[in-house]
Amino acid sequence: MITGSLNTLQRTPLPAPLDRIMVEVVKSVEQWLNAPLGKTEIDGLTLFCLVSEELTEPAADRRGEFHQQYLDIQLLLRGEEWIGVGPHAYVNTGADHPHPDLWFVNDEQTSYLALQPGDFAIFWPGELHRPLCTPNQPAQVKKLVVKVHRDLLAGL
């Protein structure tokens, strides 16, 4: 996992392919804040963006998730969100698999990231995370998730 803020991106050491995606695709909160909801293809199924507005929930009502084929770059555009991270060794036996490359598990997260607009978290394929948690009352958030196929990460 890598976490940071677009405000300090120049001080965040990223592997070259991720640095290029952050500079050329993610760019800024302003670029995506008024973007329409839904999917924007950048490079077919290899690199695409999902803009969503969703309601956060108490962590107990959310489940941990992971992906095998895609890395997630999650950027908060509006609102406040906590994302559960870890444990780093979890059991995926019996994980629910409702959509391609999305698995849910019941393992509890060991830490939480508190995101404000402009903050991002990058999750590698196989890395457990629990997005859309609330630190207080459920609230509406808008976020960008950039999906990067593992083929673009070859050699990292």
Side-chain angles (χ1 to χ4, degrees), residues 24-35:
E24 296 176 9
V25 176
V26 174
K27 296 181 184 176
S28 69
V29 168
E30 294 76 25
Q31 154 121 1
W32 293 99
L33 190 57
N34 295 314

Side-chain angles (χ1 to χ4, degrees), residues 62-89:
R62 304 281 309 162
R63 296 177 73 196
E65 65 182 58
F66 68 94
H67 317 283
Q68 291 183 338
Q69 297 301 315
Y70 288 91
L71 169 144
D72 273 6
I73 300 172
Q74 298 199 14
L75 172 69
L76 190 64
L77 301 171
R78 182 174 55 234
E80 180 180 34
E81 176 187 20
W82 280 16
I83 298 179
V85 296
H88 299 292

